[in-house]
Every structure is written in structure tokens, then in C-alpha cells.
């Protein structure tokens, strides 16, 4: 994309009691959606945080009104959960908490 940023992905502090962290991702515009960028970024970040810091549980909390994001997160291995942690932001009235678990190294 002409060396221009197309979005952002980040993780919060890792909870040492259960080795979990919350992720957040956004893309700069609809022209970047439906191309696999979000899924690839999530896979890359989860692998990095898992390998570098031993994190085994990743949470992300999209709005149910964003089915494209939910589908992307599912492709990256996240599943819908009824689990609501104090470590997961609930920003929307229709927040969907999704969790990805990786095996400890």
C-alpha cells in the first residue's frame, strides 16, 4: 500500500495469573477489508506474544454489528465465548467476547 499504514493492532498488558491478554485491531478503511490483512495480523501477533511472553489466552471484543470482523477473528482461531473477564473491554451493548487459546510452550 505504498508503504502507508493500513491499520493498527496491539495487545494489552499480559495477566500473569492466567497468561491472557486482550487484543485490539482496526483497519484504516473499507478498501483494506476482506483481503486477509486482519486475519494475518492477528495470527502474527498471537504467535509473537505467545512465543516471546508465554501468553496462552487471547481475547478480542467486537460488536455483533461487525460480522466481517467476527469472521476474520474466527479465521484466526477465535471462538465466541460467554466468558467475560475483567481483562476484556466491553465497549458495545452488543459486544461479542471471542477467545483464542494456545498451548503453553
Amino acid at each position: 500500500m505504498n508503504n502507508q499504514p493500513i491499520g493498527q493492532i496491539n495487545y494489552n498488558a499480559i495477566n500473569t495469573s492466567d497468561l491472557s491478554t486482550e487484543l485490539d485491531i482496526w483497519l484504516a478503511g473499507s478498501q483494506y477489508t476482506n483481503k486477509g490483512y486482519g486475519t494475518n495480523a492477528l495470527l502474527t501477533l498471537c504467535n509473537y506474544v505467545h512465543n516471546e511472553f508465554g501468553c496462552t489466552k487471547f481475547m478480542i471484543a467486537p460488536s455483533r454489528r461487525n460480522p466481517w470482523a467476527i469472521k476474520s477473528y474466527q479465521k484466526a482461531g477465535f471462538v465466541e465465548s460467554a466468558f467475560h473477564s475483567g481483562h476484556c473491554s466491553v465497549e458495545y451493548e452488543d459486544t461479542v467476547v471471542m477467545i483464542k487459546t494456545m498451548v503453553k510452550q
Side-chain angles (χ1 to χ4, degrees):
M1 306 293 106
N2 299 326
N3 292 321
Q4 295 297 311
I6 64 166
Q8 177 178 320
I9 186 168
N10 57 306
Y11 64 95
N12 291 349
I14 297 169
N15 180 335
T16 56
S17 66
D18 67 356
L19 298 175
S20 69
T21 189
E22 183 178 5
L23 307 179
D24 189 30
I25 184 171
W26 63 266
L27 295 176
S30 61
Q31 68 270 31
Y32 304 118
T33 62
N34 208 23
K35 297 185 183 331
Y37 300 144
T39 301
N40 186 42
L42 285 166
L43 289 168
T44 301
L45 182 62
C46 288
N47 285 330
Y48 172 79
V49 175
H50 176 71
N51 292 332
E52 292 296 318
F53 307 110
C55 189
T56 58
K57 183 167 39 173
F58 301 88
M59 298 171 285
I60 196 160
S63 165
R64 190 165 299 281
R65 290 167 290 173
N66 192 345
W68 304 278
I70 292 170
K71 185 176 179 181
S72 175
Y73 305 160
Q74 288 170 334
K75 287 181 182 178
F78 287 81
V79 294
E80 233 179 282
S81 174
F83 174 78
H84 289 269
S85 166
H87 304 288
C88 192
S89 302
V90 177
E91 295 182 25
Y92 314 102
E93 63 184 43
D94 63 344
T95 292
V96 178
V97 176
M98 301 181 77
I99 297 176
K100 175 179 177 141
T101 304
M102 297 177 77
V103 178
K104 190 172 183 176
Q105 302 174 15

